[in-house]
Amino acid sequence: MTAVAGTSSAGTDAGGTGTAGTGGSNASAGTAGSGVTGGAGGEGGSGTSGESGSAGESSETGEGGNGGAGGEGAAPASDEFGNGADGALSVDGDTDLATDNSGDRSCADGGDAVGYSIGALTSTGATLTQSPAAGCLAVGDEVLLINLQGTAGAHDNVGNYETLKVASVVDDAVTFASAKTRFYGDAADDTNIGTTREQQRVVLQRVPRYTNVTVAATGSLSAGAWDGVKGGVLFFRANGVVSVAGALSMSGKGYEGGAQNTLVNSTGFQGESIAGLGARGEASNLGGGGGGIGDGNDCESYGASAAGGGYAEQGADGSNACSGNPGESYGEATLLTKLLLGSGGGSGGTDNVLFDNPPGGFGGRGGGIVVVMARQLSVAGELLAAGGSGEGDLDPENCNGGSITDCWDFSGPGGGGSGGSVLLGVDQATLGTELVKAAGGLGGVGSAAGNGGDGSPGRIALHAQGTLEGTTLPAATVND
């Protein structure tokens, strides 16, 4: 805002000192006084984090000189882009923020973005399933609170998230500086949180706050994959420039695809989803693709291909009439209320013998979650949260029908995993042409068994306050 002007008194007195500018604005000059000999103008006020301006010159005309302009203030700190407390990050090799620490930070439990499973949750704090090691979580740290997976009967709160500041850490108890605002349990509550498949998997993950992040052409920046209790999320802030010449990728780090099917005459496994692991069956597991039907199950005389995982839209069917059912769509486009992992593709059904056929192909994994909040973002390499491909023929043109490793002729290939979530909050962004991707994974290639279904695209959302250049795949939802 513009600072209020100071006023000068009459006679030889100096003009008043200008009031300090706020948020980088210059203070207004002091108003001239009157008299036989004008006094010197008052000093201009200082802008926030700026220096005071010089005093104005005295006047011989009976008026005091104008006060000097206030100093240019520094831009105010923004919670959206963080305070830069973790310094600059330079990546020229493989860096995993879940396990790797930058600068002089030391944490035996993990990296800059170390994550912990939660055993119990209140409005103002969390009880972790382990006590953080020294240096891992500190007072003033920002943490992400997120529900990453529920159960078949309770998954409405999956994807709920918010960030909070740490007020204290005592043994396994973390107290928040302010109360959380959302629910993370089975219903409109925080019940049944833990690490088993019958509980809500809720995570507290540290949010690094960098100044600049530079990923060189030889560099790859990522975080650990979803492991059934935590992982799959890369979330950081930078109050300067994020430059990606190499890869920033969470591709294939979401929910698991259906497991490779090694039992003869059997239907494949469903892909994993917000509701948990899949079972054998051709039906979808919410977002998880259904497994291909096996030989001897009143369909075809061989195993069939599996379906792709769903997310932004329904996954794709396999190309065989006995393929599994495609994964369902879920989530919301803005990513403001839900951050969700991509779902897995189903696995293929098997033939009645496996001595001359491979197993039913595994399903591709879903994509992970990427959140980058940066004052400026430039992508010349890749920023990815794509789904993984289903298992199938590597060289269908030269498929050897007797192979048990590389020819899915009578056992079905797997379905592709769906893309994950990419949320970018920026002042300025140069994204290139489809260098930011959350594409679905391809279904595996087969022959008689058919091809596996492709995974659905994921979701990309942009919050751009200033200049935005480039395109994404799929097209991003742009939030004002």
Side-chain angles (χ1 to χ4, degrees), residues 192-261:
N192 195 32
I193 291 173
T195 58
T196 73
R197 290 289 181 178
E198 292 73 40
Q199 294 176 299
Q200 304 291 317
R201 262 57 51 78
V202 182
V203 172
L204 197 70
Q205 180 171 310
R206 185 177 184 270
V207 177
R209 294 171 291 176
Y210 301 112
T211 52
N212 300 312
V213 175
T214 304
V215 182
T218 57
S220 176
L221 180 62
S222 67
W226 167 250
D227 64 4
V229 291
K230 57 186 176 70
V233 182
L234 176 62
F235 189 135
F236 67 86
R237 302 186 193 271
N239 62 9
V241 178
V242 175
S243 175
V244 182
L248 190 160
S249 178
M250 291 297 289
S251 291
K253 296 199 172 186
Y255 295 131
E256 289 271 10
Q260 192 179 66
N261 183 11

Short mmCIF file of all heavy atoms in Angstrom, two decimals, residues 192-261:
data_model
loop_
_atom_site.label_atom_id
_atom_site.label_comp_id
_atom_site.label_asym_id
_atom_site.label_seq_id
_atom_site.Cartn_x
_atom_site.Cartn_y
_atom_site.Cartn_z
N ASN A 192 -10.42 -44.82 13.54
CA ASN A 192 -9.90 -45.97 12.79
C ASN A 192 -8.74 -45.59 11.87
O ASN A 192 -8.67 -45.99 10.73
CB ASN A 192 -11.01 -46.64 11.98
CG ASN A 192 -10.61 -48.02 11.49
OD1 ASN A 192 -9.86 -48.74 12.15
ND2 ASN A 192 -11.10 -48.39 10.31
N ILE A 193 -7.79 -44.82 12.43
CA ILE A 193 -6.58 -44.45 11.69
C ILE A 193 -5.44 -45.35 12.14
O ILE A 193 -5.23 -45.57 13.33
CB ILE A 193 -6.24 -42.97 11.94
CG1 ILE A 193 -7.29 -42.07 11.27
CG2 ILE A 193 -4.84 -42.62 11.42
CD1 ILE A 193 -7.12 -40.60 11.60
N GLY A 194 -4.70 -45.89 11.19
CA GLY A 194 -3.58 -46.77 11.53
C GLY A 194 -2.87 -47.26 10.29
O GLY A 194 -2.91 -46.62 9.24
N THR A 195 -2.23 -48.41 10.40
CA THR A 195 -1.38 -48.91 9.30
C THR A 195 -1.85 -50.23 8.72
O THR A 195 -1.21 -50.75 7.80
CB THR A 195 0.07 -49.07 9.79
OG1 THR A 195 0.11 -49.97 10.90
CG2 THR A 195 0.65 -47.72 10.20
N THR A 196 -2.94 -50.81 9.22
CA THR A 196 -3.42 -52.07 8.66
C THR A 196 -4.35 -51.80 7.48
O THR A 196 -4.85 -50.69 7.30
CB THR A 196 -4.16 -52.91 9.71
OG1 THR A 196 -5.45 -52.32 9.97
CG2 THR A 196 -3.37 -53.00 11.00
N ARG A 197 -4.62 -52.84 6.70
CA ARG A 197 -5.49 -52.71 5.54
C ARG A 197 -6.94 -52.46 5.93
O ARG A 197 -7.76 -52.10 5.09
CB ARG A 197 -5.39 -53.96 4.67
CG ARG A 197 -4.05 -54.10 3.95
CD ARG A 197 -3.92 -53.09 2.83
NE ARG A 197 -2.66 -53.22 2.11
CZ ARG A 197 -2.31 -52.48 1.07
NH1 ARG A 197 -3.13 -51.54 0.64
NH2 ARG A 197 -1.16 -52.67 0.45
N GLU A 198 -7.28 -52.64 7.19
CA GLU A 198 -8.64 -52.39 7.67
C GLU A 198 -8.78 -50.99 8.25
O GLU A 198 -9.83 -50.64 8.80
CB GLU A 198 -9.03 -53.41 8.74
CG GLU A 198 -9.18 -54.84 8.24
CD GLU A 198 -7.85 -55.49 7.92
OE1 GLU A 198 -6.88 -55.27 8.68
OE2 GLU A 198 -7.77 -56.20 6.89
N GLN A 199 -7.74 -50.16 8.14
CA GLN A 199 -7.76 -48.81 8.72
C GLN A 199 -7.49 -47.75 7.66
O GLN A 199 -7.05 -48.06 6.53
CB GLN A 199 -6.71 -48.72 9.83
CG GLN A 199 -6.99 -49.60 11.04
CD GLN A 199 -5.88 -49.53 12.06
OE1 GLN A 199 -4.73 -49.87 11.79
NE2 GLN A 199 -6.22 -49.09 13.27
N GLN A 200 -7.76 -46.50 8.04
CA GLN A 200 -7.43 -45.38 7.18
C GLN A 200 -5.93 -45.12 7.26
O GLN A 200 -5.38 -44.96 8.36
CB GLN A 200 -8.18 -44.12 7.63
CG GLN A 200 -9.70 -44.28 7.68
CD GLN A 200 -10.33 -44.43 6.33
OE1 GLN A 200 -9.97 -43.73 5.38
NE2 GLN A 200 -11.29 -45.35 6.21
N ARG A 201 -5.25 -45.07 6.12
CA ARG A 201 -3.81 -44.82 6.10
C ARG A 201 -3.57 -43.31 5.97
O ARG A 201 -3.69 -42.74 4.88
CB ARG A 201 -3.16 -45.57 4.95
CG ARG A 201 -2.51 -46.89 5.32
CD ARG A 201 -3.43 -47.90 6.00
NE ARG A 201 -4.69 -48.15 5.32
CZ ARG A 201 -4.83 -48.93 4.25
NH1 ARG A 201 -3.80 -49.54 3.73
NH2 ARG A 201 -6.02 -49.14 3.72
N VAL A 202 -3.29 -42.66 7.10
CA VAL A 202 -3.11 -41.21 7.16
C VAL A 202 -1.64 -40.91 7.48
O VAL A 202 -1.04 -41.56 8.34
CB VAL A 202 -4.03 -40.58 8.22
CG1 VAL A 202 -3.89 -39.06 8.25
CG2 VAL A 202 -5.48 -40.96 7.94
N VAL A 203 -1.08 -39.93 6.79
CA VAL A 203 0.36 -39.67 6.84
C VAL A 203 0.63 -38.22 7.22
O VAL A 203 -0.11 -37.31 6.82
CB VAL A 203 0.99 -39.99 5.46
CG1 VAL A 203 2.46 -39.56 5.40
CG2 VAL A 203 0.85 -41.48 5.16
N LEU A 204 1.70 -38.01 7.96
CA LEU A 204 2.24 -36.68 8.24
C LEU A 204 3.60 -36.61 7.56
O LEU A 204 4.52 -37.35 7.91
CB LEU A 204 2.39 -36.47 9.76
CG LEU A 204 2.56 -35.02 10.22
CD1 LEU A 204 1.26 -34.24 10.03
CD2 LEU A 204 2.99 -34.96 11.67
N GLN A 205 3.74 -35.74 6.57
CA GLN A 205 4.96 -35.67 5.76
C GLN A 205 5.51 -34.25 5.80
O GLN A 205 4.79 -33.28 5.56
CB GLN A 205 4.65 -36.07 4.32
CG GLN A 205 5.85 -36.03 3.38
CD GLN A 205 5.54 -36.64 2.02
OE1 GLN A 205 5.01 -37.75 1.93
NE2 GLN A 205 5.85 -35.92 0.96
N ARG A 206 6.80 -34.14 6.07
CA ARG A 206 7.45 -32.82 6.12
C ARG A 206 7.45 -32.18 4.73
O ARG A 206 7.69 -32.85 3.72
CB ARG A 206 8.89 -32.94 6.62
CG ARG A 206 9.60 -31.61 6.81
CD ARG A 206 11.00 -31.82 7.38
NE ARG A 206 11.67 -30.55 7.64
CZ ARG A 206 12.43 -29.90 6.77
NH1 ARG A 206 12.63 -30.42 5.56
NH2 ARG A 206 13.00 -28.76 7.08
N VAL A 207 7.18 -30.87 4.69
CA VAL A 207 7.17 -30.11 3.44
C VAL A 207 8.45 -29.26 3.38
O VAL A 207 8.57 -28.28 4.12
CB VAL A 207 5.94 -29.20 3.34
CG1 VAL A 207 5.99 -28.35 2.06
CG2 VAL A 207 4.66 -30.03 3.38
N PRO A 208 9.41 -29.61 2.53
CA PRO A 208 10.62 -28.78 2.41
C PRO A 208 10.26 -27.41 1.84
O PRO A 208 9.38 -27.28 0.98
CB PRO A 208 11.50 -29.56 1.42
CG PRO A 208 10.95 -30.94 1.41
CD PRO A 208 9.49 -30.80 1.67
N ARG A 209 10.98 -26.38 2.34
CA ARG A 209 10.77 -25.00 1.87
C ARG A 209 12.12 -24.47 1.39
O ARG A 209 12.96 -24.05 2.18
CB ARG A 209 10.18 -24.15 2.99
CG ARG A 209 8.77 -24.57 3.39
CD ARG A 209 8.28 -23.89 4.64
NE ARG A 209 9.00 -24.35 5.82
CZ ARG A 209 8.81 -23.85 7.05
NH1 ARG A 209 7.95 -22.88 7.24
NH2 ARG A 209 9.50 -24.32 8.06
N TYR A 210 12.30 -24.53 0.08
CA TYR A 210 13.57 -24.16 -0.54
C TYR A 210 13.55 -22.70 -1.01
O TYR A 210 12.49 -22.06 -1.06
CB TYR A 210 13.87 -25.07 -1.73
CG TYR A 210 13.96 -26.54 -1.39
CD1 TYR A 210 13.00 -27.45 -1.85
CD2 TYR A 210 14.99 -27.04 -0.60
CE1 TYR A 210 13.08 -28.79 -1.55
CE2 TYR A 210 15.08 -28.39 -0.29
CZ TYR A 210 14.12 -29.27 -0.77
OH TYR A 210 14.20 -30.61 -0.46
N THR A 211 14.73 -22.22 -1.36
CA THR A 211 14.81 -20.94 -2.06
C THR A 211 14.68 -21.21 -3.55
O THR A 211 13.66 -20.89 -4.15
CB THR A 211 16.13 -20.22 -1.74
OG1 THR A 211 17.24 -21.12 -1.97
CG2 THR A 211 16.16 -19.75 -0.30
N ASN A 212 15.68 -21.85 -4.14
CA ASN A 212 15.64 -22.25 -5.55
C ASN A 212 15.83 -23.76 -5.64
O ASN A 212 16.52 -24.36 -4.82
CB ASN A 212 16.74 -21.56 -6.35
CG ASN A 212 16.62 -20.06 -6.32
OD1 ASN A 212 15.54 -19.51 -6.54
ND2 ASN A 212 17.72 -19.38 -6.05
N VAL A 213 15.20 -24.36 -6.65
CA VAL A 213 15.39 -25.79 -6.93
C VAL A 213 15.83 -25.91 -8.39
O VAL A 213 15.12 -25.46 -9.29
CB VAL A 213 14.11 -26.60 -6.70
CG1 VAL A 213 14.32 -28.06 -7.12
CG2 VAL A 213 13.68 -26.53 -5.24
N THR A 214 17.01 -26.52 -8.60
CA THR A 214 17.55 -26.66 -9.95
C THR A 214 17.78 -28.14 -10.24
O THR A 214 18.59 -28.79 -9.58
CB THR A 214 18.87 -25.90 -10.10
OG1 THR A 214 18.67 -24.53 -9.76
CG2 THR A 214 19.40 -26.00 -11.52
N VAL A 215 17.05 -28.68 -11.21
CA VAL A 215 17.23 -30.06 -11.63
C VAL A 215 17.96 -30.03 -12.97
O VAL A 215 17.40 -29.64 -14.00
CB VAL A 215 15.88 -30.79 -11.78
CG1 VAL A 215 16.11 -32.25 -12.18
CG2 VAL A 215 15.09 -30.71 -10.48
N ALA A 216 19.23 -30.40 -12.96
CA ALA A 216 20.05 -30.37 -14.16
C ALA A 216 19.57 -31.40 -15.17
O ALA A 216 18.78 -32.30 -14.85
CB ALA A 216 21.51 -30.62 -13.80
N ALA A 217 20.08 -31.30 -16.39
CA ALA A 217 19.69 -32.23 -17.45
C ALA A 217 20.02 -33.67 -17.07
O ALA A 217 19.36 -34.61 -17.54
CB ALA A 217 20.38 -31.85 -18.76
N THR A 218 21.02 -33.86 -16.22
CA THR A 218 21.41 -35.20 -15.77
C THR A 218 20.70 -35.60 -14.49
O THR A 218 20.94 -36.68 -13.95
CB THR A 218 22.92 -35.26 -15.53
OG1 THR A 218 23.29 -34.24 -14.58
CG2 THR A 218 23.68 -35.05 -16.84
N GLY A 219 19.83 -34.74 -13.96
CA GLY A 219 19.23 -34.95 -12.66
C GLY A 219 17.84 -35.55 -12.72
O GLY A 219 17.11 -35.41 -13.71
N SER A 220 17.46 -36.23 -11.64
CA SER A 220 16.12 -36.80 -11.48
C SER A 220 15.68 -36.59 -10.04
O SER A 220 16.34 -37.06 -9.11
CB SER A 220 16.11 -38.29 -11.83
OG SER A 220 14.85 -38.86 -11.59
N LEU A 221 14.58 -35.88 -9.86
CA LEU A 221 14.05 -35.58 -8.53
C LEU A 221 12.75 -36.34 -8.33
O LEU A 221 11.84 -36.27 -9.16
CB LEU A 221 13.82 -34.08 -8.38
CG LEU A 221 13.27 -33.59 -7.03
CD1 LEU A 221 14.24 -33.92 -5.90
CD2 LEU A 221 12.98 -32.10 -7.09
N SER A 222 12.64 -37.08 -7.22
CA SER A 222 11.44 -37.88 -6.96
C SER A 222 11.27 -38.06 -5.46
O SER A 222 11.97 -37.45 -4.65
CB SER A 222 11.56 -39.24 -7.65
OG SER A 222 12.59 -40.01 -7.06
N ALA A 223 10.31 -38.90 -5.09
CA ALA A 223 10.12 -39.33 -3.71
C ALA A 223 9.69 -40.79 -3.76
O ALA A 223 9.36 -41.32 -4.82
CB ALA A 223 9.07 -38.47 -3.00
N GLY A 224 9.69 -41.46 -2.62
CA GLY A 224 9.41 -42.88 -2.58
C GLY A 224 8.01 -43.23 -3.06
O GLY A 224 7.07 -42.44 -2.97
N ALA A 225 7.85 -44.46 -3.58
CA ALA A 225 6.55 -44.93 -4.07
C ALA A 225 5.64 -45.31 -2.91
O ALA A 225 6.08 -45.57 -1.78
CB ALA A 225 6.77 -46.15 -4.97
N TRP A 226 4.34 -45.32 -3.18
CA TRP A 226 3.36 -45.82 -2.22
C TRP A 226 3.70 -47.26 -1.86
O TRP A 226 3.94 -48.09 -2.74
CB TRP A 226 1.97 -45.75 -2.85
CG TRP A 226 0.89 -46.50 -2.14
CD1 TRP A 226 0.27 -47.64 -2.57
CD2 TRP A 226 0.30 -46.17 -0.87
NE1 TRP A 226 -0.68 -48.03 -1.65
CE2 TRP A 226 -0.69 -47.15 -0.60
CE3 TRP A 226 0.50 -45.15 0.04
CZ2 TRP A 226 -1.46 -47.13 0.56
CZ3 TRP A 226 -0.27 -45.13 1.20
CH2 TRP A 226 -1.23 -46.10 1.45
N ASP A 227 3.74 -47.55 -0.53
CA ASP A 227 4.13 -48.89 -0.08
C ASP A 227 3.03 -49.59 0.72
O ASP A 227 3.29 -50.59 1.39
CB ASP A 227 5.42 -48.83 0.73
CG ASP A 227 5.28 -48.04 2.03
OD1 ASP A 227 4.16 -47.58 2.36
OD2 ASP A 227 6.30 -47.85 2.73
N GLY A 228 1.83 -49.06 0.66
CA GLY A 228 0.72 -49.65 1.39
C GLY A 228 0.39 -48.91 2.67
O GLY A 228 -0.71 -49.08 3.21
N VAL A 229 1.32 -48.10 3.18
CA VAL A 229 1.05 -47.29 4.38
C VAL A 229 1.40 -45.81 4.17
O VAL A 229 0.77 -44.93 4.75
CB VAL A 229 1.78 -47.84 5.63
CG1 VAL A 229 1.19 -49.16 6.06
CG2 VAL A 229 3.27 -47.98 5.38
N LYS A 230 2.40 -45.52 3.36
CA LYS A 230 2.79 -44.14 3.09
C LYS A 230 3.58 -44.10 1.78
O LYS A 230 3.83 -45.12 1.16
CB LYS A 230 3.59 -43.54 4.24
CG LYS A 230 4.85 -44.29 4.62
CD LYS A 230 5.49 -43.68 5.88
CE LYS A 230 6.70 -44.45 6.35
NZ LYS A 230 7.86 -44.32 5.47
N GLY A 231 3.98 -42.88 1.39
CA GLY A 231 4.75 -42.73 0.15
C GLY A 231 3.85 -42.33 -1.01
O GLY A 231 2.63 -42.24 -0.90
N GLY A 232 4.49 -42.08 -2.14
CA GLY A 232 3.78 -41.70 -3.35
C GLY A 232 3.55 -40.22 -3.52
O GLY A 232 2.89 -39.82 -4.48
N VAL A 233 4.09 -39.38 -2.62
CA VAL A 233 3.82 -37.94 -2.64
C VAL A 233 5.12 -37.15 -2.67
O VAL A 233 6.00 -37.35 -1.81
CB VAL A 233 2.99 -37.50 -1.41
CG1 VAL A 233 2.67 -36.01 -1.50
CG2 VAL A 233 1.72 -38.32 -1.29
N LEU A 234 5.24 -36.23 -3.63
CA LEU A 234 6.35 -35.27 -3.70
C LEU A 234 5.74 -33.88 -3.57
O LEU A 234 5.00 -33.44 -4.46
CB LEU A 234 7.09 -35.42 -5.02
CG LEU A 234 8.23 -34.42 -5.30
CD1 LEU A 234 9.33 -34.55 -4.26
CD2 LEU A 234 8.79 -34.63 -6.69
N PHE A 235 6.03 -33.18 -2.47
CA PHE A 235 5.40 -31.88 -2.17
C PHE A 235 6.49 -30.97 -1.62
O PHE A 235 7.10 -31.28 -0.60
CB PHE A 235 4.29 -32.10 -1.13
CG PHE A 235 3.40 -30.91 -0.84
CD1 PHE A 235 2.04 -31.08 -0.77
CD2 PHE A 235 3.91 -29.64 -0.62
CE1 PHE A 235 1.17 -30.01 -0.48
CE2 PHE A 235 3.09 -28.56 -0.35
CZ PHE A 235 1.71 -28.75 -0.27
N PHE A 236 6.74 -29.83 -2.29
CA PHE A 236 7.69 -28.86 -1.75
C PHE A 236 7.32 -27.46 -2.20
O PHE A 236 6.53 -27.26 -3.13
CB PHE A 236 9.13 -29.20 -2.15
CG PHE A 236 9.43 -29.08 -3.63
CD1 PHE A 236 9.81 -27.86 -4.20
CD2 PHE A 236 9.36 -30.19 -4.46
CE1 PHE A 236 10.10 -27.76 -5.56
CE2 PHE A 236 9.64 -30.10 -5.82
CZ PHE A 236 10.01 -28.87 -6.36
N ARG A 237 7.90 -26.46 -1.52
CA ARG A 237 7.73 -25.05 -1.86
C ARG A 237 9.09 -24.44 -2.19
O ARG A 237 10.12 -24.91 -1.70
CB ARG A 237 7.09 -24.28 -0.69
CG ARG A 237 5.73 -24.82 -0.25
CD ARG A 237 5.11 -23.92 0.80
NE ARG A 237 3.98 -24.56 1.45
CZ ARG A 237 2.72 -24.48 1.03
NH1 ARG A 237 2.44 -23.80 -0.07
NH2 ARG A 237 1.75 -25.08 1.69
N ALA A 238 9.07 -23.37 -2.97
CA ALA A 238 10.29 -22.62 -3.29
C ALA A 238 9.92 -21.15 -3.49
O ALA A 238 9.05 -20.86 -4.31
CB ALA A 238 10.96 -23.18 -4.54
N ASN A 239 10.57 -20.26 -2.74
CA ASN A 239 10.23 -18.84 -2.87
C ASN A 239 11.05 -18.14 -3.94
O ASN A 239 10.98 -16.92 -4.09
CB ASN A 239 10.34 -18.11 -1.52
CG ASN A 239 11.74 -18.13 -0.94
OD1 ASN A 239 12.69 -18.53 -1.61
ND2 ASN A 239 11.87 -17.69 0.30
N GLY A 240 11.81 -18.93 -4.71
CA GLY A 240 12.56 -18.41 -5.84
C GLY A 240 12.15 -19.12 -7.11
O GLY A 240 10.97 -19.16 -7.48
N VAL A 241 13.13 -19.72 -7.78
CA VAL A 241 12.92 -20.33 -9.10
C VAL A 241 13.08 -21.85 -9.01
O VAL A 241 14.05 -22.35 -8.43
CB VAL A 241 13.92 -19.77 -10.12
CG1 VAL A 241 13.74 -20.44 -11.48
CG2 VAL A 241 13.76 -18.25 -10.25
N VAL A 242 12.15 -22.57 -9.59
CA VAL A 242 12.28 -24.02 -9.81
C VAL A 242 12.53 -24.23 -11.29
O VAL A 242 11.69 -23.88 -12.13
CB VAL A 242 11.02 -24.78 -9.37
CG1 VAL A 242 11.16 -26.26 -9.73
CG2 VAL A 242 10.80 -24.62 -7.87
N SER A 243 13.69 -24.78 -11.62
CA SER A 243 14.09 -25.00 -13.01
C SER A 243 14.32 -26.49 -13.23
O SER A 243 15.15 -27.11 -12.54
CB SER A 243 15.37 -24.22 -13.32
OG SER A 243 15.84 -24.50 -14.62
N VAL A 244 13.57 -27.08 -14.16
CA VAL A 244 13.64 -28.53 -14.42
C VAL A 244 14.15 -28.76 -15.83
O VAL A 244 13.39 -28.67 -16.80
CB VAL A 244 12.27 -29.19 -14.21
CG1 VAL A 244 12.38 -30.70 -14.43
CG2 VAL A 244 11.71 -28.89 -12.83
N ALA A 245 15.44 -29.05 -15.95
CA ALA A 245 16.01 -29.43 -17.24
C ALA A 245 16.05 -30.94 -17.40
O ALA A 245 16.05 -31.47 -18.52
CB ALA A 245 17.42 -28.86 -17.39
N GLY A 246 16.08 -31.67 -16.29
CA GLY A 246 16.06 -33.13 -16.30
C GLY A 246 14.66 -33.64 -16.06
O GLY A 246 13.73 -33.30 -16.78
N ALA A 247 14.49 -34.47 -15.02
CA ALA A 247 13.19 -35.08 -14.73
C ALA A 247 12.79 -34.83 -13.29
O ALA A 247 13.58 -35.01 -12.37
CB ALA A 247 13.23 -36.58 -15.01
N LEU A 248 11.55 -34.40 -13.11
CA LEU A 248 10.90 -34.37 -11.80
C LEU A 248 9.73 -35.33 -11.96
O LEU A 248 8.76 -35.04 -12.65
CB LEU A 248 10.43 -32.96 -11.45
CG LEU A 248 9.94 -32.70 -10.02
CD1 LEU A 248 9.99 -31.21 -9.70
CD2 LEU A 248 8.53 -33.23 -9.80
N SER A 249 9.83 -36.52 -11.36
CA SER A 249 8.90 -37.59 -11.73
C SER A 249 8.39 -38.40 -10.55
O SER A 249 9.16 -38.81 -9.68
CB SER A 249 9.57 -38.56 -12.72
OG SER A 249 8.70 -39.62 -13.05
N MET A 250 7.06 -38.61 -10.56
CA MET A 250 6.42 -39.57 -9.67
C MET A 250 5.63 -40.60 -10.49
O MET A 250 4.64 -41.15 -10.03
CB MET A 250 5.51 -38.83 -8.69
CG MET A 250 6.26 -37.99 -7.67
SD MET A 250 7.33 -38.97 -6.58
CE MET A 250 6.11 -39.81 -5.57
N SER A 251 6.09 -40.86 -11.70
CA SER A 251 5.42 -41.83 -12.56
C SER A 251 5.51 -43.24 -11.97
O SER A 251 6.57 -43.66 -11.48
CB SER A 251 6.05 -41.83 -13.96
OG SER A 251 5.75 -40.63 -14.64
N GLY A 252 4.40 -43.96 -12.01
CA GLY A 252 4.37 -45.33 -11.53
C GLY A 252 4.60 -45.48 -10.05
O GLY A 252 4.99 -46.55 -9.59
N LYS A 253 4.32 -44.41 -9.26
CA LYS A 253 4.57 -44.48 -7.81
C LYS A 253 3.28 -44.39 -6.99
O LYS A 253 3.31 -44.13 -5.81
CB LYS A 253 5.56 -43.39 -7.41
CG LYS A 253 6.93 -43.61 -8.05
CD LYS A 253 8.03 -42.87 -7.36
CE LYS A 253 9.39 -43.27 -7.92
NZ LYS A 253 10.51 -42.68 -7.18
N GLY A 254 2.14 -44.64 -7.68
CA GLY A 254 0.86 -44.66 -6.99
C GLY A 254 0.46 -46.07 -6.60
O GLY A 254 1.29 -46.90 -6.24
N TYR A 255 -0.84 -46.34 -6.67
CA TYR A 255 -1.36 -47.64 -6.25
C TYR A 255 -0.83 -48.76 -7.14
O TYR A 255 -0.60 -48.59 -8.33
CB TYR A 255 -2.88 -47.63 -6.28
CG TYR A 255 -3.52 -46.69 -5.28
CD1 TYR A 255 -4.52 -45.81 -5.67
CD2 TYR A 255 -3.13 -46.69 -3.94
CE1 TYR A 255 -5.12 -44.96 -4.77
CE2 TYR A 255 -3.72 -45.84 -3.02
CZ TYR A 255 -4.72 -44.97 -3.45
OH TYR A 255 -5.30 -44.12 -2.54
N GLU A 256 -0.71 -49.96 -6.54
CA GLU A 256 -0.16 -51.13 -7.23
C GLU A 256 -1.12 -51.64 -8.30
O GLU A 256 -2.35 -51.58 -8.16
CB GLU A 256 0.06 -52.27 -6.23
CG GLU A 256 1.21 -52.04 -5.27
CD GLU A 256 2.52 -52.53 -5.82
OE1 GLU A 256 2.58 -52.88 -7.02
OE2 GLU A 256 3.49 -52.59 -5.05
N GLY A 257 -0.53 -52.19 -9.37
CA GLY A 257 -1.33 -52.93 -10.34
C GLY A 257 -1.63 -54.32 -9.81
O GLY A 257 -1.02 -54.79 -8.83
N GLY A 258 -2.59 -55.01 -10.44
CA GLY A 258 -2.87 -56.39 -10.05
C GLY A 258 -1.63 -57.25 -10.19
O GLY A 258 -0.86 -57.13 -11.14
N ALA A 259 -1.44 -58.14 -9.23
CA ALA A 259 -0.23 -58.98 -9.21
C ALA A 259 -0.23 -59.97 -10.38
O ALA A 259 -1.28 -60.39 -10.86
CB ALA A 259 -0.14 -59.73 -7.89
N GLN A 260 0.97 -60.31 -10.82
CA GLN A 260 1.11 -61.32 -11.88
C GLN A 260 0.38 -62.60 -11.46
O GLN A 260 0.48 -63.05 -10.32
CB GLN A 260 2.59 -61.61 -12.13
CG GLN A 260 2.85 -62.40 -13.38
CD GLN A 260 4.33 -62.65 -13.60
OE1 GLN A 260 4.98 -63.36 -12.81
NE2 GLN A 260 4.89 -62.07 -14.65
N ASN A 261 -0.38 -63.16 -12.38
CA ASN A 261 -1.27 -64.29 -12.09
C ASN A 261 -0.60 -65.60 -12.50
O ASN A 261 -0.41 -65.86 -13.68
CB ASN A 261 -2.57 -64.08 -12.85
CG ASN A 261 -3.61 -65.16 -12.57
OD1 ASN A 261 -3.46 -65.96 -11.67
ND2 ASN A 261 -4.67 -65.16 -13.36
#
